[in-house]
Every structure is written in structure tokens, then in C-alpha cells.
Amino acid sequence: MATTCAAAAACHQGITAPLYQELNYFRNIIEGFPFILKKIASPEASEFKFPLATLFTAPTREAGLSMTNNYAHALQEHGIAGIELGFEDPSSQFILDVIQAMGCTPDSHSSTQGALWDVKFQPEGVISEGTGKAAHSISHSLGEFAWHTDGAFEEDPTRFFGFHILHPDRQGGGVFRVLRAEDLLQMLSPQTLTTLTNFEYDLRVPPEFYKGQHIVKAKLLTVDQETGRAFVRYRGDILHDPSSSNHEACVAVHELKRLLDNPEGVGSYVPEYIFKENTVLLMDNARFLHSRTNIKDPKRWLRRVRFHGMPGESSLESGDISDAGFLGIPEQAMSASAAS
């Protein structure tokens, strides 16, 4: 009956019955062939393209620290920098030294935790001074971590943060994704942009990051009037439900959450050849949101630092920027080339 109806429809479209039968014959042969795709595969998620002069190699600690102004310039201009280390650094001292050399100050993560925070599977959690009990951070779980900015619950969130990648997920999970704030703004309606840049929301402080306050009040979006750059602070699970008694404020958050609900639906992923063992990644926490997919390798281990200040502001004014280390060219290699 179904074949008869299809044939009748084909005739209605001007296809004769014999021709329909012939087309149907070939279709069945093709669909029965095991290596023919019946559906077009979904396109792969987009890879984040690092801007020019944002990727570096540091063959030694000294060479890495000599390029501090280059990292600062990359952060100021592009909001991101990656540094591949050519030396062992199990204590992650290099990232702390770089932050200090850029004229910035590492922030403590909570009343009980210092500047370095282990992002790894830690089911026992950490002790919260706010509750006196163990608190369990998403960063200590194996689950997905949706789009957010670090320390969005802080009264004064750190402008920058960094990771030292000690052990990437070697089983295909824990994919690190980034989303530029300026790209996010392009996806939001004008009314939502107006509301998010003007309305202050109550944000809950997770117990594992307690520093004396349980609630902070802040806007989720701001725009620098001089540069036009967009800055964001966001973490969906620290907003109240409903997010406000103000209707427009609730509608705006609903649109924002709906857009960010699928971590893989927007933004782009940092490829494995960058997000690899013994690499440092520095980012502007206000110009980028980030997320991760579910972790498959329980040994995945990053060490995080959040820091205040504008990297290298005084040094950059003097124009003291080196060409060494850009795009994977070690300083020694450039010296050797110049000597020859």
C-alpha cells in the first residue's frame, strides 16, 4: 500500500511509473550497501584558533620568565596565551612566578585554600569555613562543567586566571571549551543586553569558596565605554530560581541560560595539541567564558591560579617585547640562527 501511494505521488510530480520503479530499485541497492552513509554526519565542533603571537615555548624556566612581557601583551590584546614548558615543574611554581613578574597578584580561592587550586577528581572535597563541613566543588568532580567565568560569585572577581596542565584527559573527555564575551553578545537580543548590563542580580557564593559572604550583588555584563569590549561574569547555578522578582531581569537570564545550556552548542574547543601535559594556559576571565565536557580519565589534573591586576601594564608602555618564543620558536634557537 505504501509503495502504491509513493508511486502515485511520483506520477503526480511528473515521474512515470516505470521510471519510478527504476529509481526505487537503485535506491534500495544503494541503501543496502554497508559503506554508504544514509545521513550526512554532523560537522565537528569548531576548534579555537589562537591569534598570532599568543602561543609560546619556554625551553627553560629562565627563558620562559624572560618572555613575561610577551605573555602580558597577548593577554591585553587577545585575552589568552599558551606556554609549552620544556622543563619539569611539579609544584606549578612557574605560573606563580610569571604572574608576579607581570605585576599581578594571585588570589586565594577561599578562607581555607590558597592561591593554587587542584582541578581534579577529589570526592572528599574541601573544608568550608562557612559551614565547617566538607564542600564539594564541581571542579573536583568528573561531571560536565557548564559555561562560566571563574569566581563569578566574588564581590571583585579576579580579572585573569591560569591553568598548569599536569595530566590532560587521555580518554577523550574533559574537553576544554572557550567562548568570547563579544561573540556571546552578538547572540543575545537587544532587550536582554540592556537588562543584563543594567540590572544587579543576587549571586550565591558556593560554600567551598566562602570568604565571609553568602550572597553578592552584581551585573552579569558590562561594556567598556572606551574600548567597546564586553566583559562578563556568569555561572548559572549561583543564580536564584527565579533569578529575580523583576520580570525583565528573569526574561533576560532565561534567554542567556537557554543559549548556554548546551556547552557544545556555542564556542569552540581548545585542541589537544595545545591543551596538553606541562602547558600553561592564561586567560582573561572577563573576556572569555569556559566550560568542560564530562571527564573520562579520573587522573585528569590541572592546577589553577586566579589573579588580580593588569598584566605588564608598566612594562608594556616601554615597548619591551621580545620576538623569542613566539609560535614555538625557543629563544636559544633564534640565538643560534642569528649567530650562523
Side-chain angles (χ1 to χ4, degrees):
M1 179 65 180
T3 303
T4 303
C5 291
C11 290
H12 179 70
Q13 295 174 10
I15 303 175
T16 63
L19 179 58
Y20 169 78
Q21 291 174 357
E22 190 172 336
L23 289 172
N24 198 46
Y25 170 75
F26 283 113
R27 182 185 296 112
N28 289 335
I29 292 177
I30 292 172
E31 290 184 349
F33 196 73
F35 299 107
I36 297 293
L37 293 175
K38 298 181 180 67
K39 293 183 178 180
I40 298 174
S42 299
E44 291 189 7
S46 60
E47 176 184 316
F48 180 75
K49 308 298 183 186
F50 278 76
L52 185 66
T54 59
L55 292 175
F56 308 87
T57 58
T60 65
R61 184 182 301 273
E62 293 72 22
L65 289 175
S66 73
M67 294 184 287
T68 299
N69 285 345
N70 300 73
Y71 314 147
H73 184 262
L75 285 173
Q76 285 205 30
E77 290 298 311
H78 305 290
I80 194 165
I83 313 164
E84 181 182 346
L85 306 188
F87 55 91
E88 296 300 314
D89 187 25
S91 64
S92 302
Q93 184 61 43
F94 177 75
I95 192 171
L96 292 174
D97 292 343
V98 165
I99 290 168
Q100 183 177 8
M102 290 192 300
C104 299
T105 307
D107 191 25
S108 62
H109 278 80
S110 70
S111 298
T112 60
Q113 302 294 309
L116 293 172
W117 178 275
D118 287 318
V119 179
K120 67 176 183 177
F121 184 47
Q122 190 171 313
E124 68 275 15
V126 296
I127 298 299
S128 166
E129 191 177 274
T131 63
K133 301 177 182 178
H136 301 87
S137 170
I138 300 176
S139 60
H140 289 156
S141 74
L142 297 177
E144 172 189 273
F145 202 158
W147 291 111
H148 65 285
T149 57
D150 266 26
F153 41 79
E154 299 267 8
E155 190 169 17
D156 180 23
T158 51
R159 175 65 186 271
F160 298 89
F161 74 97
F163 288 126
H164 179 202
I165 304 163
L166 298 171
H167 184 100
D169 191 314
R170 295 199 170 98
Q171 298 178 27
V175 178
F176 187 72
R177 297 179 59 82
V178 296
L179 172 62
R180 287 186 174 93
E182 60 194 52
D183 293 337
L184 173 64
L185 264 63
Q186 296 296 320
M187 296 181 249
L188 295 171
S189 66
Q191 181 58 50
T192 290
L193 288 175
T194 299
T195 303
L196 294 179
T197 53
N198 286 281
F199 191 84
E200 289 192 333
Y201 294 86
D202 287 337
L203 307 175
R204 293 185 299 236
V205 179
E208 64 270 24
F209 297 117
Y210 178 80
K211 291 184 180 180
Q213 289 180 281
H214 292 287
I215 298 288
V216 299
K217 189 179 287 288
K219 298 173 184 177
L220 301 186
L221 290 178
T222 56
V223 177
D224 188 301
Q225 297 301 316
E226 292 185 7
T227 65
R229 284 177 176 167
F231 301 134
V232 61
R233 74 149 81 196
Y234 177 78
R235 178 171 157 173
D237 63 338
I238 65 173
L239 286 157
H240 291 279
D241 188 16
S243 55
S244 171
S245 58
N246 181 290
H247 175 70
E248 288 185 356
C250 287
V251 170
V253 164
H254 178 72
E255 181 181 334
L256 179 62
K257 281 190 170 184
R258 186 176 56 193
L259 180 66
L260 299 177
D261 261 354
N262 178 11
E264 297 186 55
V266 293
S268 48
Y269 71 94
V270 176
E272 291 181 358
Y273 64 85
I274 301 294
F275 204 83
K276 62 183 179 180
E277 186 172 342
N278 210 23
T279 292
V280 165
L281 188 65
L282 304 173
M283 294 186 66
D284 189 323
N285 191 41
R287 289 169 64 187
F288 282 92
L289 293 96
H290 60 282
S291 67
R292 76 164 190 224
T293 61
N294 288 319
I295 291 173
K296 298 179 181 178
D297 182 355
K299 293 182 179 179
R300 182 185 189 265
W301 185 8
L302 319 178
R303 196 166 275 143
R304 181 182 66 206
V305 185
R306 299 171 177 161
F307 53 102
H308 290 285
M310 185 54 66
E313 203 160 51
S314 57
S315 299
L316 289 177
E317 289 175 358
S318 65
D320 187 18
I321 299 176
S322 166
D323 289 334
F326 277 131
L327 301 175
I329 305 174
E331 187 172 352
Q332 287 90 330
M334 293 193 68
S335 300
S337 175
S340 62

